[in-house]
Amino acid sequence: MARASRLLAALAALLAAAATGGDARPSKIAVVGAGIGGSAVTHFLQQHFGPRVQIDVFEKGTVGGRLATISVNKQHYESGAASFHSLSLHMQEFVKHLGLKHRREVVGRSAIFGGENFVLEETDWYLLNLFRLWWHYGISFLRLQMWVEEVMEKFMRIYKYQAHGYAFSGVEELLYSLGESSFINMTQRSVAESLLQVGVTQRFIDDIVSAVLRASYGQSAAMPAFAGAMALAGAQGTLWSVEGGNKLVCSGLLKLTKANVIHATVISVTLQQTEGKPLYLVKYENEVGIGSDFYDIVVIATPLHPDNSTITFEGFNSPTDVIQDSYQPTVISLVHGYLNSSYFGFPDPKLFPFANILTTDFPTFFCALDNICPVNISANFRRKQPQDAAVWRVQSPKPLLRSQLKTLFRSYYSVQTAEWQAHPVHGSRTTLPKFALHDQLFHLNALEWAASSVEVMAVAAKNVALLAYNRWYQDLDKIDQKDLMHKVKTEL
Ligand SMILES: Cc1cc2nc3c(=O)[nH]c(=O)nc-3n(C[C@H](O)[C@H](O)[C@H](O)COP(=O)(O)OP(=O)(O)OC[C@H]3O[C@@H](n4cnc5c(N)ncnc54)[C@H](O)[C@@H]3O)c2cc1C
Ligand SMILES: *[C@@H]1O[C@H](CO)[C@@H](O)[C@H](O)[C@H]1NC(C)=O
Ligand SMILES: *[C@@H]1O[C@H](CO)[C@@H](O)[C@H](O)[C@H]1NC(C)=O
Ligand SMILES: *[C@@H]1O[C@H](CO)[C@@H](O)[C@H](O)[C@H]1NC(C)=O
Ligand SMILES: *[C@@H]1O[C@H](CO)[C@@H](O)[C@H](O)[C@H]1NC(C)=O
């Protein structure tokens, strides 16, 4: 009797599997958000499931998300993410695949402003820069470099794991596989604590490290070490950006995959079918009204802010820790005008030598100030002389007041701003979130809590695409595996 009922149950399961397609590929996938995360996951999902799967990409704003440009004086300038590390392998691959080009580098010198004077000035001479660092800070900068390199070296393992098809269901599993408990610890300890431990001096942290963290995250050396190390890596390597604008990567990937981009705000995702493979109802809203459709797989590729515009999940118990409540507001002001070089101690504007100004933690209203080049650079393009009108990109936690603009600029023609929820306030949560919210419902931006950058989101996109694929075909040996370094080696 018991055997018969077991047999019946097995038969029923088989029938259910046949009804939902069994081993068939998914028929429809929804991606919410068309930033780099959404565009990249669309590309990777198509790579894995093949071109016959229909992918709908919902975007409530503009394609590109935090990759965006603003037009000033008939030229376009980056108003969101500006540049990437040379080891951003997924981004490099996208650019090559799409036939895009790297933007030509137009050299400019950097300096760190300490409120009254510059605490560090870059010169044209590499050896002199090294000598100055050595003179002021001793071995600290070498120790910093070694610390950052070690983190980067371990982080780069992810590309190998992903090339072998391995995926992770949560941020903790992913980080552990790369750097074991030391990576997990680095999400809990501060940059300052970690650096002091390896022998970097407090003065070096105050002058240099915190300036870099302010410029890249608007945060201090109290932020977690893992995100900090990734930002400091960005400050060391050669940086690059995309000719024509970084957002071209997003529109290019979506065009390439022939994804169906729907301009609408997704308001809810509801689990409809619980037997066999799940089915999700995605409800969305635009000028036309409210619409909805069914999907086999849903990828949320946007942070889940807790305001009333957030997406609600129904029909299952969604993890309670998905809402990303504290994000760092960052305002980018593109100012076309004349810099007030006196403010920086250079009464003669002709003698002002710097194009990129970082700031230490002194009480100030801005984090960084850059003389920027347009996204399309012609071969004969020259950077503006310091006494000429130029386009400056000011990064600040709040919109600049008129009086603050008058402090930084002698005069200006125009000011245009972009207000962002730029990065998570790193360190503001105690648990590392999951990518999988339900069987086939994923949240890509979970990885932003470890570190937030364009390449990290591309890594998250590849992980989510692999996770969806491995789960769909029940290839559980490729999910959350331990000791991958060893496995990957013996597989070759
Ligand atoms: C000022 C600034 C400077 C930065 N500098 C750098 C840098 O130099 N280098 C670097 O690597 N990174 C930088 N970053 C970080 C980088 O931009 C982000 O980590 C990355 O772009 C995030 O991509 P994403 O696709 O995950 O999210 P987003 O780009 O935020 O995309 C999410 C998309 O989802 C859409 N959306 C949201 N909710 C819904 C909904 N309910 N329905 C439909 N659509 C929805 C949004 O409109 C948005 O387009 C910077 C960020 C900012 C703001
Ligand atoms: C991580 O932190 C725990 C507890 O604080 C500690 O026991 C462990 O040694 C740390 N691991 C590493 C690799 O630093
Ligand atoms: C800028 O560059 C992009 C990519 O090379 C190109 O498609 C676009 O037409 C260019 N725009 C202008 C105004 O030159
Ligand atoms: C959020 O709610 C407030 C008040 O309830 C309302 O004024 C605002 O327009 C809402 N915002 C969005 C994006 O719906
Ligand atoms: C420029 O900076 C100097 C020095 O901080 C300040 O006195 C002056 O008011 C600023 N503004 C202009 C327009 O010169």
Side-chain angles (χ1 to χ4, degrees):
M1 190 66 204
R3 194 175 298 158
S5 72
R6 222 176 302 145
L7 199 70
L8 273 180
L11 251 174
L14 260 178
L15 280 175
T20 57
D23 258 1
R25 64 170 69 83
S27 60
K28 279 176 89 180
I29 301 179
V31 173
V32 184
I36 188 62
S39 316
V41 82
T42 303
H43 166 69
F44 289 131
L45 283 165
Q46 197 192 54
Q47 229 176 33
H48 293 301
F49 286 111
R52 298 234 295 275
V53 178
Q54 184 190 327
I55 306 182
D56 289 350
V57 180
F58 294 92
E59 173 53 60
K60 71 171 181 185
T62 41
V63 168
R66 279 172 272 173
L67 301 182
T69 57
I70 287 183
S71 156
V72 180
N73 202 20
K74 299 199 193 81
Q75 298 261 27
H76 295 277
Y77 296 85
E78 298 288 355
S79 58
S83 53
F84 321 114
H85 192 273
S86 57
L87 292 177
S88 300
L89 300 192
H90 286 316
M91 279 298 283
Q92 298 270 27
E93 181 61 34
F94 296 156
V95 165
K96 214 166 86 189
H97 200 58
L98 295 171
L100 294 169
K101 289 196 299 259
H102 286 198
R103 197 179 305 162
R104 194 164 64 82
E105 190 66 48
V106 183
V107 288
R109 279 200 233 156
S110 308
I112 300 175
F113 188 58
E116 268 156 29
N117 53 347
F118 286 97
V119 299
L120 189 74
E121 302 178 10
E122 190 185 8
T123 70
D124 287 336
W125 195 27
Y126 176 71
L127 279 180
L128 184 58
N129 294 334
L130 271 188
F131 177 77
R132 282 189 175 174
L133 274 174
W134 187 263
W135 181 257
H136 286 296
Y137 303 104
I139 204 165
S140 274
F141 84 97
L142 276 185
R143 290 194 169 129
L144 172 78
Q145 220 155 2
M146 282 164 62
W147 181 79
V148 169
E149 259 165 40
E150 196 190 323
V151 174
M152 282 304 283
E153 212 176 285
K154 287 182 179 164
F155 180 76
M156 300 290 287
R157 291 172 177 171
I158 192 69
Y159 298 107
K160 206 170 214 175
Y161 299 168
Q162 293 190 333
H164 281 77
Y166 289 104
F168 303 93
S169 61
V171 174
E172 182 161 354
E173 289 81 353
L174 186 147
L175 289 182
Y176 191 87
S177 85
L178 300 175
E180 305 196 323
S181 62
S182 81
F183 265 22
I184 307 293
N185 284 14
M186 285 180 77
T187 64
Q188 290 149 6
R189 308 169 66 200
S190 71
V191 174
E193 200 185 334
S194 302
L195 285 178
L196 287 171
Q197 198 193 352
V198 296
V200 173
T201 62
Q202 186 68 49
R203 179 161 170 235
F204 188 78
I205 294 171
D206 292 343
D207 285 1
I208 315 284
V209 172
S210 65
V212 171
L213 297 178
R214 275 168 65 78
S216 40
Y217 279 126
Q219 291 169 39
S220 75
M223 75 184 286
F226 187 78
M230 300 293 273
L232 288 158
Q236 292 192 323
T238 44
L239 296 180
W240 61 280
S241 42
V242 180
E243 169 71 12
N246 295 329
K247 66 179 183 186
L248 292 182
V249 174
C250 300
S251 52
L253 287 173
L254 292 176
K255 222 170 271 161
L256 189 74
T257 52
K258 301 199 178 69
N260 180 25
V261 179
I262 299 169
H263 287 279
T265 305
V266 167
I267 45 189
S268 68
V269 179
T270 309
L271 177 65
Q272 288 289 319
Q273 177 180 304
T274 46
E275 307 222 328
K277 286 207 155 79
L279 201 58
Y280 303 95
L281 179 70
V282 172
K283 208 187 263 181
Y284 56 91
E285 186 174 26
N286 57 16
E287 318 84 60
V288 190
I290 291 194
S292 66
D293 213 338
F294 289 101
Y295 297 92
D296 296 307
I297 298 173
V298 180
V299 178
I300 311 290
T302 175
L304 293 168
H305 297 298
D307 54 18
N308 42 5
S309 65
T310 204
I311 303 164
T312 57
F313 299 105
E314 290 154 19
F316 64 98
N317 290 328
S318 62
T320 50
D321 65 347
V322 296
I323 298 297
Q324 300 172 299
D325 40 5
S326 20
Y327 260 63
Q328 184 74 46
T330 298
V331 182
I332 298 293
S333 307
L334 297 184
V335 184
H336 182 206
Y338 298 89
L339 188 75
N340 178 14
S341 55
S342 308
Y343 177 75
F344 298 100
F346 288 77
D348 183 354
K350 283 198 192 67
L351 298 179
F352 189 80
F354 305 118
N356 309 298
I357 301 159
L358 290 79
T359 57
T360 60
D361 230 342
F362 71 96
T364 180
F365 53 89
F366 71 102
C367 297
L369 177 67
D370 298 285
N371 177 340
I372 56 171
C373 301
V375 297
N376 283 64
I377 297 184
S378 57
N380 54 8
F381 180 88
R382 292 268 172 287
R383 210 182 263 282
K384 289 276 188 297
Q385 292 300 306
Q387 71 274 20
D388 292 336
V391 176
W392 292 87
R393 174 173 149 135
V394 189
Q395 190 184 318
S396 55
K398 288 196 204 129
L400 296 177
L401 304 173
R402 225 178 111 77
S403 60
Q404 294 168 334
L405 281 161
K406 288 276 179 205
T407 309
L408 286 179
F409 297 93
R410 274 187 287 141
S411 66
Y412 50 86
Y413 299 113
S414 68
V415 182
Q416 285 173 80
T417 55
E419 295 189 27
W420 300 104
Q421 298 287 314
H423 305 278
V425 176
H426 290 287
S428 62
R429 67 181 295 154
T430 48
T431 57
L432 291 169
K434 297 282 182 202
F435 295 108
L437 304 183
H438 188 253
D439 279 6
Q440 288 293 353
L441 169 62
F442 304 101
H443 187 216
L444 202 148
N445 294 68
L447 196 53
E448 263 198 277
W449 285 97
S452 136
S453 76
V454 168
E455 179 65 13
V456 167
M457 287 304 101
V459 164
K462 179 74 180 177
N463 179 65
V464 163
L466 283 169
L467 186 59
Y469 182 80
N470 295 342
R471 280 189 166 195
W472 186 267
Y473 291 113
Q474 293 288 308
D475 198 353
L476 302 181
D477 289 349
K478 296 259 162 165
I479 300 174
D480 293 338
Q481 289 295 304
K482 295 260 155 57
D483 201 18
L484 274 187
M485 272 306 270
H486 180 74
K487 280 210 177 71
V488 166
K489 257 187 212 132
T490 51
E491 262 175 35
L492 280 178

